[in-house]
Amino acid sequence: MTDQQIIDALIARDERVTRQFLFGNCRPLFLSIMRSVFSYEVDYDEFVNEFYVHLMEKDSYRLRQFEGRSSLYQWIKVVAIRYFIGRRDRMIENESEQSLIDKAAQSQSVDTERHVCAKVDVERLLKNMRNKR
């Protein structure tokens, strides 16, 4: 299928093409986006479902914006990254054996460690700067 045929099938809500494209063909692309955008595990099905809803909003407005100036996969990559960067704090993590209390404590210790490291780096930079005044 051509890129435009895939877009047309998605707009027509062709279940077979939609499932094959989003859950099959785009899987490596989506997994790469999930690793680069999120700092925690995100459920693949949730990711795809939320992205599909985003594409289909307002009578498939976003899908209709595809003009074929790039490959469909490149276009999907750009749209998905832009969308999920704004949503990264609102996606639900995979189920975990670790309790939320442990996660909060771990998060605070990492933040404290980052804060100390940043403070040391800033102090070192300021000491190395020449004061021409």
Side-chain angles (χ1 to χ4, degrees), residues 14 25 35 41 61 66 70 75 81 88 124 126:
D14 182 322
N25 301 1
R35 280 190 303 270
E41 289 292 321
Y61 173 78
F66 177 73
S70 64
W75 183 83
I81 289 173
R88 70 175 86 180
R124 186 177 326 126
L126 289 174

Side-chain angles (χ1 to χ4, degrees), residues 17-30 44 73:
V17 172
T18 300
R19 181 163 296 285
Q20 176 60 41
F21 181 69
L22 295 176
F23 288 92
N25 301 1
C26 288
R27 187 172 182 85
L29 173 63
F30 289 159
Y44 182 79
Y73 293 98

Side-chain angles (χ1 to χ4, degrees), residues 24-83:
N25 301 1
C26 288
R27 187 172 182 85
L29 173 63
F30 289 159
L31 290 173
S32 172
I33 291 170
M34 288 165 59
R35 280 190 303 270
S36 64
V37 171
F38 299 100
S39 61
Y40 53 88
E41 289 292 321
V42 173
D43 182 64
Y44 182 79
D45 290 348
E46 180 187 353
F47 178 92
V48 172
N49 290 334
E50 187 159 335
F51 186 60
Y52 179 70
V53 168
H54 176 67
L55 291 175
M56 299 305 287
E57 284 177 338
K58 299 177 186 171
D59 191 32
S60 308
Y61 173 78
R62 286 176 189 82
L63 286 173
R64 296 176 197 280
Q65 297 302 306
F66 177 73
E67 296 176 350
R69 289 188 277 167
S70 64
S71 75
L72 178 57
Y73 293 98
Q74 184 63 35
W75 183 83
I76 289 285
K77 178 181 177 181
V78 170
V79 172
I81 289 173
R82 287 179 180 170
Y83 176 67

Side-chain angles (χ1 to χ4, degrees), residues 112-126:
T112 303
E113 181 181 338
R114 286 183 185 161
H115 179 73
V116 170
C117 288
K119 184 177 177 181
V120 169
D121 289 343
V122 169
E123 287 176 2
R124 186 177 326 126
L125 284 171
L126 289 174

